[in-house]
Amino acid sequence: MDENIVEQIRKFVEEECKKPSSKYGYEIYPFHFVLVHKYSKLLAEKFKADVEIVELAAWLHDVGSIIFGRDDHHLTSAKIAEKKLKELNYSKEKIERVKHCILNHRGSQLNKRKSREAQIVADADAMTHFDNISGIFMAAFLYENKNQGEAQDEVREKLIRSYNKISSEAQNLIKPKYNAAMLLLK
Ligand SMILES: [Fe+2]
């Protein structure tokens, strides 16, 4: 039996993360992609969005940053998504809907989201920060050479920014983790 398209795309993204050339190593797969997918699917089911579109966009939204780096990764990811989904004979209309989510998932594209699915992927992307606090600390210590106090401030500020930019539905879901983080990082 043919594997469904979501599973084929998931495998494609995981394979890209496993390559030695992956800009973020393999860790981005379990610590980011899997979480974005989890929250995207949960929100899509809860708010009656198109689950398949959301799942595909969740797996593909950052694929460009693994292959080419973070700059313009919404554009590179959309391009890779289009090519890959075409190869799998996915319909043109649905490819456009997946691309819309990918192109508008970044905070800077806040006002350009025209579909419920795009809002969900953006929300899920920001929600993952609350499940990966150790990763934000690692970035502050390792890549930005912050000391302990600075790192703590940075993590807290980042979580506040993430919380403020997601929809109120997503805020409600993540609120216990937000409150816990604020208590611990005061
Ligand atoms: Fe992401």
Side-chain angles (χ1 to χ4, degrees):
M1 197 181 85
D2 259 354
E3 252 173 338
N4 75 53
I5 185 131
V6 175
E7 180 55 15
Q8 291 182 69
I9 289 295
R10 185 200 65 74
K11 275 191 184 156
F12 162 66
V13 172
E14 186 175 17
E15 288 311 311
E16 286 300 325
C17 295
K18 278 183 186 163
K19 288 181 182 172
S21 55
S22 164
K23 301 270 184 209
Y24 294 91
Y26 181 68
E27 278 202 322
I28 191 171
Y29 180 76
F31 285 101
H32 188 62
F33 283 103
V34 169
L35 297 170
V36 175
H37 173 261
K38 179 184 89 173
Y39 283 123
S40 294
K41 196 173 176 195
L42 192 133
L43 290 168
E45 284 166 352
K46 198 166 164 66
F47 300 110
K48 313 251 176 289
D50 188 320
V51 178
E52 185 178 278
I53 297 292
V54 160
E55 283 192 272
L56 290 171
W59 288 126
L60 290 160
H61 80 288
D62 277 346
V63 73
S65 64
I66 290 157
I67 302 172
F68 301 111
R70 203 175 151 71
D71 288 352
D72 284 337
H73 75 269
H74 56 308
L75 303 177
T76 55
S77 299
K79 230 180 177 166
I80 295 163
E82 176 162 29
K83 184 169 176 280
K84 194 70 202 166
L85 290 168
K86 252 187 197 162
E87 278 171 26
L88 297 170
N89 294 318
Y90 203 50
S91 88
K92 202 172 157 31
E93 180 258 336
K94 287 185 183 176
I95 291 176
E96 288 308 314
R97 291 170 63 200
V98 173
K99 276 173 64 190
H100 179 74
C101 300
I102 298 171
L103 287 168
N104 297 292
H105 80 273
R106 301 180 78 178
S108 53
Q109 315 294 318
L110 199 59
N111 298 316
K112 297 185 194 155
R113 291 172 205 141
K114 302 252 188 295
S115 68
R116 186 179 295 185
E117 288 76 20
Q119 185 61 46
I120 283 174
V121 175
D123 281 351
D125 196 22
M127 285 167 82
T128 64
H129 296 150
F130 293 92
D131 279 334
N132 190 22
I133 292 180
S134 59
I136 317 175
F137 268 111
M138 187 178 77
F141 287 133
L142 219 61
Y143 306 127
E144 295 164 35
N145 292 313
K146 300 252 155 95
N147 67 32
Q148 234 177 293
E150 291 166 346
Q152 181 158 322
D153 290 344
E154 165 124 343
V155 172
R156 191 183 60 244
E157 292 306 316
K158 190 176 171 83
L159 293 176
I160 291 172
R161 282 199 303 277
S162 295
Y163 187 76
N164 287 336
K165 73 182 180 198
I166 59 180
S167 66
S168 55
E169 292 87 356
Q171 282 179 339
N172 283 339
L173 282 173
I174 211 74
K175 189 142 201 159
K177 287 186 181 178
Y178 175 80
N179 288 339
M182 291 305 118
L183 189 67
L184 293 171
L185 299 171
K186 233 201 312 233

